[in-house]
Amino acid sequence: MPTIDVELELRDLFLQALAGDEAAYRLFLQRLAGHLRSFLGRRLFGWPDDVEDLVQECLLAIHNKRHTYEAAQPLSAWVHAIARHKLIDLLRARSVREALHDPLDDVADDLFAASDLDAHEARRDVMGLLEQLPDKQRLPILHVKIEGLSVAETARRTGLSESAVKVGIHRGLKALARRFGASPQESQEGANAQGV
């Protein structure tokens, strides 16, 4: 409430309302709502829906607390104190709600970082296991199952026959399955599912 005239007008209307004048009270609430919109709008720029809700909450609080107003104090100070308390309540509630929601960008970064790290660790573990196999089993598994080369391409790279590549994959996977306690049948089913 920037001017003394507005302060005096609102104070006079409010005192009349406290004395029982309903028309003065309606006019007071209408004029005060406009001032509250301006006061809160400057503080909640970009949240127009919240401004209107907060104006209504302030008007209700002023109505409920009207008996606490002391005629000797400026009305604007009393109204602004109530409005500031309502504003603080709104900001606290909003911060609690927003704290429950992580921005998607942060979550996505964390998920992809963890995924990349997991993939790297899994690859390192697989490579460590393959190192324990002889070359005639390790190389066919590495080229066909990990790098995605065909059996024919792997045969050309390794100097093995296509049939030796298939046998190497089969025996290598069987050896790895035994290490982890899988049955030879499960190992064969996994190899067959991969087309080898």
Side-chain angles (χ1 to χ4, degrees), residues 33-34 36-37 40 50-60:
L36 285 171
R37 278 186 196 93
L40 296 169
D50 289 328
V51 170
E52 191 56 38
D53 290 345
L54 201 53
V55 166
Q56 296 306 315
E57 283 187 40
C58 288
L59 292 175
L60 185 59

Side-chain angles (χ1 to χ4, degrees), residues 109-127:
D109 290 344
D110 291 345
L111 287 175
F112 291 128
S115 173
D116 291 344
L117 182 61
D118 291 345
H120 176 72
E121 288 177 358
R123 183 172 179 85
R124 185 188 67 219
D125 292 344
V126 167
M127 297 309 281

